[in-house]
Amino acid sequence: MNTTTLGAGPGAARAPVGDNKQGSLSDAERLDRAMTSFLRDFNTTSALYLEACVHCGQCAEACQYYVQTGDPKYTPIWKVEPIKQAYKRLTGPLAPLYRLFGLKKAVTIEELEQWQELLYDSCTLCGRCTLVCPMGIDIPSLVLAARHGMQEAGLVPDDLWGPTERARREGSPLGATKQVLKERIAWLTDDNNVTIPLDREQADILVTISSVEIMKYPQSITAMARVMNHIGASWTFRSDGYEATNFNMLSGDRTGQREATMRLINAALAINAKTVILPECGHAYQAFRWAGATMYGRPLPFRVVHISEYLAEELRAGRLSLKSDARSMTFHDPCQIARRGGVTEAPREIFRALGADLREMGPTPAGNWCCGGGGGVITIHRADSLRHRVFHLKMQQVEDTGAALLVSSCSNCRLTFDDGQDFFHWDKTAHSLVELVADNLAERH
Amino acid sequence: MNGASVLDFARGPVFEIALAMLIFGIAWRLVGIFALRRPVDYSEPRAGTGWGSGLRMIVSRSWPRREFRERVLHWDIVSYIFHVGYAVAILGYVPHIMLIRNLTGLQWPGLPGGVIAFAAGLSAGALLALLGHRLTSPVLRRLSNFDDYFSWLLAFTPLVTGLMAYYGIGGNYQMVLGLHILAGDILFAWLPFGKIMHVILLAFSRGTTGAAYGRRGAPI
């Protein structure tokens, strides 16, 4: 029988794989850990959100899981019911009244176990619900807070916990260790006749990678190198800080999230980087661009950009020049980069520079449908059939554009598209924006 | 108790207690929220501090974004009929304005009684429709709790009793008016303790998200 270890805290112990529980804690201990985590996470922002909900149910209408199934359990605010219950009963200003009149019952271990599916399998943290909520409640931030408690309690789906634990142990969730990276770069250099700097001691730019790219789309690494070399940037990959994918954030592992973040920060500091470029990975962008400094505890001494932002900047500066590619294309805005990240214009600047016939999906970028694989959902195999169901929405959205080429700027989305393409025998393949740029670099004269 | 004494009771001590509960309750709830830890965001903003976006979202989220209108706008309109009708009835009726003038010194011209009755009737109808929706929608049934139904009842009662008093329905006028004022008192007293507090919290929660998304340059 396989065994796993609970990575965080004193409960580290062996437990059988397959029951979607980690560690050998008693139910009471699991509950206690979850509640302690919930209480630790409550702050003015989460309190405002938990107090303001008027139970209007509109978030359901924005959620791909509810829209595709009609099952009310997928109502986004319902997915955070245990943390809401804990807040109202234990922390909120009316908590004594809730307890006195028995209006909020104590959270039970059974509820937490039951909610595992709602917090992990059926939420990609896509944030459409935030945009529809009349109270402006940012539900994904509450889901993440709830996941912190679930991780502490050892109640994470095994399929997600596995890569999370591996990231703590090996520095990469998918086995893209330092050694694997070095080997990959060595053969990519040989096969493609491209210079890929690794471990330079000084460089202006630290370029980071997603493990999905290392393991599944290594051509992305070559593409990044080609583009950076074309621009003439002072850049490097670093074997002590390359992995930008932060699965620990997705499972709710705060310690692991911080460790993964600090590896990148330390690598950037070691080479005196002025800029850190994040790869085509939505959650990497969220974890490092928007949560990185908070993990560090102070502002970062370098700037952080997504690769598409960097390319748009270089286009504007005239250091990146592209050949024309006039094919009809549509662009899938990754939720964490566009809707929740704010990068919406940069990829469109690149399409304009290519002279592409860009056919926008409706709606996008703010209301774009998620690919269905974010938030760690792509790793959870028991959720596959549900994920395929919601992927239908995405397929339809792409088909409606009539574009010949589907492009995105997130390798996790690309992985989800590949899986959906395979499952539905769909004729559309998702392509990488960076690879598209690399394929269309103008000759230098 | 006869009508006159119910009226005196509702206008006198109960009103004062309700007002005290309203003010104390709102303060209690806000302090309870804002006394918690304040999260610090050290990330470099893309687009300013986000304050402007926060203020903008307080206003803009009053109407659903284009992407969602097809699925939610109809119930938003019903909800607006309820809210606007309610506001017109509260703020446009001359006796209510006199009460506000006595309390605050502020006053403004009132609307004709017929307009008020029409607004209150529309509001009550919309409120009934919203209750029907809550009882029949699987999503709302799943989310609803005591607060949702109790707050609905406390919002509905002043409307009905107000209309009864205006049209002279229900016998003794003083008794009906007394019950109307009593219903208003209870609504005031309950406001900070249930979902009706959203009238205050709405600006804070919208503003918080608007500011957070605004500093990222993300759509709001």
Side-chain angles (χ1 to χ4, degrees), chain A residues 98-110:
Chain A
Y98 277 108
R99 288 198 296 272
L100 182 68
F101 295 108
L103 292 171
K104 283 283 173 207
K105 292 195 168 52
V107 176
T108 64
I109 188 70
E110 290 78 16

Side-chain angles (χ1 to χ4, degrees), chain A residues 10 86 151 168 181 393:
Chain A
Q151 164 79 24
R168 295 274 298 264
L181 175 75
L393 278 170

